[in-house]
Amino acid sequence: MKKNVFACLTVLCFLLASCVSISGIPKEKQYSLVPDDSTDYRVEIDSVIVTKDAVKDNDLALQVYELSKTALADLINKNDNNKTLYLDIEIKQRSYYKGIKQKNSIFLFYSLLDEDGKTSFNSSYLITSSDSIESGRIEYKLVNKINRKIRRHLRKCRK
């Protein structure tokens, strides 16, 4: 009898632990420093790092680089008279199981640094999905978020 009760409690604990919600974790945080005077910037992609379960994936990093280069083409190709901000992108994916289904926690961190290495803007974003970073839809979603947030920051810098 005691073994059955212990087994039932153990199973119940595992079921409850697999249903723990991460709703208390903020999905997005950001920091920005807007210059006092109106400044028009151009953007240069400095580095893109993608890791999947603690293993660097250069092919995925190249895909994200090319998507970013296309999305930010007008900001990259601005004339050389503008000040330059350097974009660093880092995407990390961790796989885990929720119940019997595999989920992926994808963490995006990107920042804009000036010529002196000072942070002008940085942001982090977390999504949880059954899709992997290998999914083109997820890559596009992340690059589109980067594009929108950087453009919003640069508009603030021009005012």
Side-chain angles (χ1 to χ4, degrees):
M1 177 72 175
K2 288 182 180 181
K3 287 183 181 180
N4 289 340
V5 172
F6 179 72
C8 289
L9 287 175
T10 304
V11 170
L12 183 64
C13 287
F14 282 121
L15 287 174
L16 290 175
S18 68
C19 296
V20 172
S21 173
I22 59 169
S23 61
I25 298 173
K27 292 200 178 259
E28 187 168 11
K29 289 286 186 180
Q30 68 183 31
Y31 163 82
S32 64
L33 179 64
V34 179
D36 295 333
D37 54 335
S38 178
T39 307
D40 196 20
Y41 290 105
R42 65 184 294 273
V43 174
E44 187 174 313
I45 301 173
D46 194 32
S47 69
V48 178
I49 300 170
V50 177
T51 56
K52 185 176 174 190
D53 293 322
V55 177
K56 281 189 179 181
D57 192 323
N58 293 327
D59 290 336
L60 288 176
L62 183 61
Q63 285 178 329
V64 171
Y65 173 81
E66 292 297 332
L67 280 170
S68 301
K69 194 167 95 173
T70 302
L72 300 168
D74 61 322
L75 298 174
I76 292 170
N77 295 326
K78 276 188 173 182
N79 66 29
D80 291 332
N81 295 338
N82 296 326
K83 291 184 178 180
T84 303
L85 290 176
Y86 299 94
L87 175 63
D88 291 326
I89 302 171
E90 187 171 356
I91 302 173
K92 292 184 178 185
Q93 174 182 299
R94 297 278 189 199
S95 301
Y96 65 95
Y97 286 93
K98 186 171 184 178
I100 59 171
K101 293 184 180 181
Q102 181 176 347
K103 293 284 195 176
N104 296 305
S105 177
I106 302 170
F107 179 75
L108 166 67
F109 177 78
Y110 56 100
S111 60
L112 290 171
L113 305 171
D114 64 10
E115 287 98 0
D116 299 328
K118 293 181 182 174
T119 302
S120 175
F121 177 81
N122 68 19
S123 181
S124 61
Y125 179 65
L126 171 70
I127 58 173
T128 303
S129 173
S130 57
D131 290 336
S132 170
I133 185 64
E134 293 171 336
S135 165
R137 185 178 68 84
I138 295 291
E139 288 176 8
Y140 178 77
K141 180 179 179 178
L142 295 175
V143 169
N144 194 33
K145 178 164 274 304
I146 292 169
N147 184 20
R148 282 193 324 265
K149 295 292 184 169
I150 285 176
R151 289 180 187 279
R152 187 175 299 146
H153 173 70
L154 294 179
R155 276 194 301 273
K156 288 179 185 176
C157 291
R158 275 187 244 131
K159 291 183 179 180

